[in-house]
Amino acid sequence: MGGDHGPSVTLPACAAFLAAHPQAHLLLVGRAQALASLPAGIDARRCTIVPAAEVVEMDDPVEVALRRKKDSSMRVAIAQVKDGAADVAVSAGNTGALMAIARYVLKTLDGIDRPAIATQLPNATGGATTVLDLGANVDCTAEHLLQFAVMGSALVAAGGRENPTVGLLNIGEEVIKGNDVIKQAGQLLRSAAQRGDLNFHGNVEGNDIFKGTTDIVVCDGFVGNVALKASEGLASMIGTFLREEFARGPLSRLAALLAWPVLMRFKRRVDHRRYNGAALLGLRGLVFKSHGSADAFAFEQALRRAYDAAEARLLERVQRRIARAAPLMGPPGDATASSAGPSVST
Amino acid sequence: MGGDHGPSVTLPACAAFLAAHPQAHLLLVGRAQALASLPAGIDARRCTIVPAAEVVEMDDPVEVALRRKKDSSMRVAIAQVKDGAADVAVSAGNTGALMAIARYVLKTLDGIDRPAIATQLPNATGGATTVLDLGANVDCTAEHLLQFAVMGSALVAAGGRENPTVGLLNIGEEVIKGNDVIKQAGQLLRSAAQRGDLNFHGNVEGNDIFKGTTDIVVCDGFVGNVALKASEGLASMIGTFLREEFARGPLSRLAALLAWPVLMRFKRRVDHRRYNGAALLGLRGLVFKSHGSADAFAFEQALRRAYDAAEARLLERVQRRIARAAPLMGPPGDATASSAGPSVST
């Protein structure tokens, strides 16, 4: 139901996702009438409609979403994960509400103080850089940054890249740079690396996100959110300028026509929709967040990413890594926390 | 002497700058032998060579620059400003060293705890957004952010835009967003706006920098530095991808040829060199910082920006505004601090 477009985007995305994943099963959570007539591409035998009477609006305060809308599609979807009916929940709704509800319903893993939001950004190597946190936590301690590094490593390893490198976002590469929290975090990350819990590269700077210097970049949610949104703003401005210049007069439009295949290839390479689908990490269940403005293609990517994470048993990977790094994080966590192991159906 | 290229870039930039500014006079500070033979374009009557035996290297620690290289070109150039021989100093050297030396030699203005670095970034309106701080201050209080807002307003007003709008960089537009420092800063900025000291727009997000929502965006140096460098990294990646796609095979190269005028117009619009020249604000004298990797065109922009700021009496504007806002900043500052008023020669 969520996002800027609701079922008009999410249902076509579900159809495409099911076509590409013959083993997958979807629970469609929302208002019965919105889900009454599924698009032709959706095989009704591979979907279960789970009714929810309310919808969390994009501008609902967290308190409203959490306390007043107890039968929201968001909450019911997350409850499916808690109950073991689903392996992972995906939403394009209000991020703050999603995090609060997920935290309330699922609870955090042992050893995790605060869940984090992790997304991928394209980098110059042709791969992607995983960045976390992206706004869930505005004030972080060094221990939180270590937790993010450990959870991010589990996420990237679940994606098939074993022993991924971690960079600590800073304003210089030297160990002495940054504020006290960053310097302490650097020490913790170096200790974790010495113990074999992490593959810590060292400090990285803002440009390293897009250079692809490390697989993972760790930062507090304030910095991560600003860096992400500044990048979105810049990409949008550059795209606008490029379109405007190719539309400036008949000769430019002719040039655009001739350069069309090149421009399309370029567009595909920088298409942020391919990277849609952020992981909420540190909870006792898997939840993925799609961009609110996602179109069907973008939302399908979030579904794929969520499915792949469940299939790669991301939750167990996070738990295992957090348990291993627990001695660095204060009181040891309980690595055997109860949580239904994800199956390949979603 | 500074920057990645030294006099091979700065001297040609000086020649172009002098040609465009018939009233300007330059003090060229550096090793006598590097300045012995000036390029043909430089009129020796409009330059004074000021010898300095040492050079601060790009990787010199601040302590070395400050304590061991007392006859560095950087220090001697700043001393010219202190002595009233120059109205403004421009350097492409090591930022940390420049800030430390400027602060040591010039001292901060009354009412200013910490100088800040302010730069301009292009925005989608076709204008530029002034962002500060960009790395001088990694931990800021609400009062520091207010000081940045006031100094940034003076800078933009000196550039001809009276009553510029100020945005506080945050992770959401709502007043309740952000950490404690940001929320307190929001209150201070609103108070300053009510008193008529500032034109405060409210919170802005990372994408607003490039949208051009406000003339000025205020943030702590850690966040500003990361946002700036992430943007540089993204712009560089996008440029590389665009070049690669236009070089992929003979047809693409033909398309590039046909689209050449369009691509050049686009390139000019996003050319970051046009925005080179960051102001060090809050000192008892004017200092501008060029990007270390600047070429002659970029360094010339930094010279122009510095010259225009001196001509617009930026220092007096900052002092006046800081004095006016002093009641919000704790103990009142001394607005009559001694500092030679800049003349139009530089």
Side-chain angles (χ1 to χ4, degrees):
Chain A
M1 303 300 299
D4 301 343
H5 312 294
S8 69
V9 151
T10 52
L11 289 179
C14 288
F17 168 76
L18 283 174
H21 296 79
Q23 305 291 321
H25 188 91
L26 288 174
L27 308 182
L28 304 176
V29 187
R31 287 194 175 124
Q33 88 194 60
L35 301 173
S37 62
L38 297 180
I42 294 193
D43 180 346
R45 289 164 302 178
R46 296 177 56 201
C47 291
T48 307
I49 308 289
V50 182
E54 292 166 305
V55 172
V56 174
E57 303 297 337
M58 292 305 265
D59 54 359
D60 272 346
V62 167
E63 295 69 30
V64 170
L66 198 57
R67 307 235 161 78
R68 303 228 195 106
K69 293 189 170 175
K70 297 199 175 168
D71 195 27
S72 70
S73 54
M74 200 180 263
R75 178 134 172 195
V76 174
I78 292 170
Q80 302 304 307
V81 174
K82 176 165 172 67
D83 298 345
D87 293 309
V88 55
V90 181
S91 169
N94 181 327
T95 311
L98 184 68
M99 180 55 96
I101 293 174
R103 206 172 158 168
Y104 179 78
V105 172
L106 295 172
K107 313 298 179 206
T108 52
L109 289 170
D110 289 318
I112 295 296
D113 299 321
R114 302 177 179 191
I117 303 176
T119 199
Q120 289 196 326
L121 293 169
N123 67 38
T125 71
T129 307
T130 297
V131 184
L132 73 167
D133 176 47
L134 286 171
N137 306 286
V138 292
D139 272 314
C140 288
T141 63
E143 284 77 18
H144 295 143
L145 292 168
L146 171 61
Q147 291 169 19
F148 300 167
V150 170
M151 295 194 293
S153 297
L155 177 66
V156 175
R161 190 164 186 112
E162 292 300 333
N163 205 24
T165 52
V166 175
L168 176 63
L169 192 57
N170 203 339
I171 58 169
E173 288 174 17
E174 305 85 353
V175 173
I176 56 147
K177 290 277 184 175
N179 56 29
D180 289 343
V181 169
I182 293 291
K183 285 184 222 169
Q184 285 167 23
Q187 285 174 358
L188 273 180
L189 289 166
R190 278 189 293 279
S191 302
Q194 275 157 14
R195 292 166 34 97
D197 295 338
L198 275 182
N199 186 358
F200 183 47
H201 165 91
N203 289 334
V204 294
E205 299 187 72
N207 51 331
D208 289 302
I209 296 172
F210 295 102
K211 259 195 202 166
T213 308
T214 55
D215 297 313
I216 298 156
V217 169
V218 170
C219 56
D220 77 42
F222 194 99
V223 172
N225 184 285
V226 167
L228 178 72
K229 287 194 177 149
S231 305
E232 286 176 357
L234 175 60
S236 160
M237 183 187 84
I238 291 176
T240 303
F241 285 178
L242 195 58
R243 273 191 302 276
E244 281 177 5
E245 292 307 333
F246 271 111
R248 199 181 291 278
L251 274 177
S252 298
R253 282 197 289 272
L254 180 64
L257 209 63
L258 296 166
W260 198 250
V262 182
L263 293 172
M264 285 302 102
R265 283 203 310 265
F266 167 69
K267 194 177 166 187
R268 208 156 40 236
R269 267 179 92 170
V270 294
D271 187 353
H272 59 85
R273 299 180 305 162
R274 289 196 292 138
Y275 300 93
N276 189 39
L280 272 56
L281 295 172
L283 300 159
R284 294 177 188 263
L286 294 183
V287 181
F288 275 69
K289 167 74 175 77
S290 158
H291 210 292
S293 67
D295 62 10
F297 174 79
F299 194 76
E300 187 198 340
Q301 307 314 308
L303 289 172
R304 285 170 181 262
R305 214 171 279 276
Y307 180 83
D308 290 345
E311 200 168 43
R313 303 194 168 273
L314 173 59
L315 193 61
E316 290 168 22
R317 286 173 180 267
V318 172
Q319 282 179 310
R320 216 163 36 229
R321 282 190 180 246
I322 288 290
R324 215 165 64 193
L328 291 171
M329 295 180 186
D334 172 17
T336 60
S338 74
S339 171
S343 75
V344 289
S345 70
T346 189
Chain B
M1 304 299 300
D4 300 345
H5 312 294
S8 69
V9 151
T10 53
L11 289 178
C14 287
F17 168 76
L18 283 173
H21 295 80
Q23 305 292 320
H25 189 91
L26 288 174
L27 308 182
L28 304 176
V29 187
R31 287 194 175 128
Q33 88 193 65
L35 301 173
S37 62
L38 297 179
I42 294 192
D43 180 347
R45 288 163 304 179
R46 295 175 59 201
C47 290
T48 307
I49 307 290
V50 181
E54 291 166 304
V55 172
V56 173
E57 303 296 337
M58 294 305 266
D59 53 0
D60 271 346
V62 167
E63 295 68 30
V64 170
L66 198 57
R67 305 234 163 77
R68 301 227 198 109
K69 294 190 169 174
K70 297 200 175 166
D71 195 28
S72 71
S73 54
M74 201 181 261
R75 180 135 171 195
V76 173
I78 292 170
Q80 302 304 306
V81 174
K82 177 165 171 65
D83 298 344
D87 293 310
V88 55
V90 181
S91 168
N94 182 326
T95 310
L98 184 68
M99 178 57 94
I101 292 173
R103 206 172 159 169
Y104 179 78
V105 172
L106 295 171
K107 313 299 177 205
T108 54
L109 289 170
D110 287 319
I112 295 296
D113 299 322
R114 300 179 182 191
I117 303 176
T119 199
Q120 290 196 324
L121 292 169
N123 67 39
T125 72
T129 307
T130 297
V131 184
L132 72 167
D133 176 46
L134 287 170
N137 305 285
V138 292
D139 271 314
C140 288
T141 65
E143 285 75 18
H144 295 144
L145 293 168
L146 172 61
Q147 291 169 18
F148 300 167
V150 170
M151 295 193 293
S153 297
L155 177 65
V156 175
R161 190 164 187 114
E162 291 300 333
N163 206 24
T165 53
V166 175
L168 176 63
L169 192 57
N170 203 338
I171 58 168
E173 288 175 14
E174 306 84 352
V175 173
I176 54 147
K177 290 278 183 174
N179 57 28
D180 289 341
V181 169
I182 293 291
K183 286 183 219 168
Q184 286 168 22
Q187 285 174 358
L188 272 180
L189 290 166
R190 277 189 294 280
S191 302
Q194 277 159 13
R195 292 167 33 98
D197 295 336
L198 273 183
N199 187 358
F200 182 48
H201 166 90
N203 289 335
V204 294
E205 299 186 71
N207 50 332
D208 289 302
I209 297 171
F210 295 102
K211 260 195 199 166
T213 308
T214 55
D215 297 311
I216 298 156
V217 169
V218 171
C219 56
D220 77 41
F222 194 98
V223 172
N225 184 284
V226 167
L228 177 73
K229 288 195 178 147
S231 304
E232 287 176 356
L234 175 60
S236 159
M237 183 187 83
I238 290 176
T240 303
F241 285 179
L242 196 58
R243 273 191 302 276
E244 281 177 4
E245 291 307 334
F246 271 111
R248 199 181 291 279
L251 274 177
S252 298
R253 281 197 289 270
L254 181 63
L257 210 63
L258 296 166
W260 198 252
V262 182
L263 293 172
M264 284 303 102
R265 283 204 310 267
F266 167 71
K267 194 177 166 187
R268 207 157 40 235
R269 265 178 97 171
V270 294
D271 187 354
H272 60 85
R273 298 179 307 162
R274 289 196 293 138
Y275 300 92
N276 189 40
L280 272 56
L281 295 172
L283 299 160
R284 293 176 189 261
L286 295 182
V287 180
F288 275 70
K289 166 75 176 79
S290 158
H291 210 293
S293 67
D295 61 10
F297 174 79
F299 194 77
E300 187 197 341
Q301 308 313 308
L303 289 173
R304 284 172 181 260
R305 215 172 279 275
Y307 180 82
D308 291 345
E311 199 167 45
R313 302 193 168 274
L314 173 59
L315 193 61
E316 290 169 22
R317 286 172 181 268
V318 172
Q319 282 179 309
R320 218 163 35 229
R321 282 189 180 248
I322 288 290
R324 215 165 64 194
L328 291 170
M329 293 181 187
D334 172 18
T336 60
S338 73
S339 172
S343 76
V344 289
S345 69
T346 190

Short mmCIF file of all heavy atoms in Angstrom, two decimals, chain B residues 165-167 199-204 213-214:
data_model
loop_
_atom_site.label_atom_id
_atom_site.label_comp_id
_atom_site.label_asym_id
_atom_site.label_seq_id
_atom_site.Cartn_x
_atom_site.Cartn_y
_atom_site.Cartn_z
N THR B 165 19.03 33.77 1.96
CA THR B 165 18.35 32.77 2.79
C THR B 165 19.35 31.74 3.33
O THR B 165 20.29 31.36 2.65
CB THR B 165 17.26 32.03 2.00
OG1 THR B 165 17.84 31.52 0.79
CG2 THR B 165 16.12 32.97 1.64
N VAL B 166 19.08 31.29 4.54
CA VAL B 166 19.95 30.32 5.23
C VAL B 166 19.16 29.05 5.52
O VAL B 166 18.05 29.12 6.07
CB VAL B 166 20.47 30.89 6.56
CG1 VAL B 166 21.28 29.85 7.32
CG2 VAL B 166 21.29 32.15 6.33
N GLY B 167 19.70 27.90 5.17
CA GLY B 167 19.12 26.62 5.53
C GLY B 167 20.04 25.88 6.49
O GLY B 167 21.26 25.97 6.38
N ASN B 199 18.12 35.70 7.51
CA ASN B 199 16.94 35.29 6.76
C ASN B 199 16.89 33.76 6.80
O ASN B 199 17.37 33.09 5.87
CB ASN B 199 17.05 35.83 5.33
CG ASN B 199 15.80 35.59 4.53
OD1 ASN B 199 14.85 34.99 5.00
ND2 ASN B 199 15.81 36.07 3.30
N PHE B 200 16.35 33.22 7.89
CA PHE B 200 16.41 31.76 8.11
C PHE B 200 15.22 31.07 7.44
O PHE B 200 14.07 31.36 7.75
CB PHE B 200 16.44 31.46 9.61
CG PHE B 200 16.55 30.00 9.94
CD1 PHE B 200 17.50 29.20 9.31
CD2 PHE B 200 15.73 29.42 10.89
CE1 PHE B 200 17.62 27.86 9.61
CE2 PHE B 200 15.84 28.06 11.21
CZ PHE B 200 16.78 27.29 10.57
N HIS B 201 15.53 30.13 6.56
CA HIS B 201 14.51 29.39 5.82
C HIS B 201 13.98 28.21 6.64
O HIS B 201 12.83 27.84 6.55
CB HIS B 201 15.14 28.89 4.52
CG HIS B 201 14.34 27.85 3.80
ND1 HIS B 201 13.39 28.15 2.86
CD2 HIS B 201 14.36 26.48 3.91
CE1 HIS B 201 12.86 27.02 2.41
NE2 HIS B 201 13.42 26.00 3.01
N GLY B 202 14.85 27.60 7.43
CA GLY B 202 14.49 26.40 8.18
C GLY B 202 15.44 25.27 7.83
O GLY B 202 16.50 25.49 7.24
N ASN B 203 15.05 24.05 8.19
CA ASN B 203 15.89 22.90 7.88
C ASN B 203 15.88 22.61 6.39
O ASN B 203 14.87 22.79 5.72
CB ASN B 203 15.34 21.65 8.59
CG ASN B 203 15.57 21.69 10.10
OD1 ASN B 203 16.48 22.36 10.56
ND2 ASN B 203 14.75 20.98 10.84
N VAL B 204 17.03 22.16 5.90
CA VAL B 204 17.10 21.66 4.53
C VAL B 204 17.78 20.29 4.57
O VAL B 204 18.41 19.93 5.57
CB VAL B 204 17.88 22.62 3.59
CG1 VAL B 204 17.14 23.94 3.41
CG2 VAL B 204 19.30 22.86 4.10
N THR B 213 17.63 25.42 -2.83
CA THR B 213 16.50 25.83 -1.99
C THR B 213 16.83 27.10 -1.20
O THR B 213 15.98 27.97 -1.04
CB THR B 213 16.15 24.68 -1.02
OG1 THR B 213 15.97 23.49 -1.79
CG2 THR B 213 14.90 24.99 -0.23
N THR B 214 18.07 27.19 -0.72
CA THR B 214 18.51 28.38 0.02
C THR B 214 19.84 28.86 -0.56
O THR B 214 20.55 28.10 -1.22
CB THR B 214 18.71 28.08 1.52
OG1 THR B 214 19.63 26.99 1.65
CG2 THR B 214 17.40 27.70 2.19
#
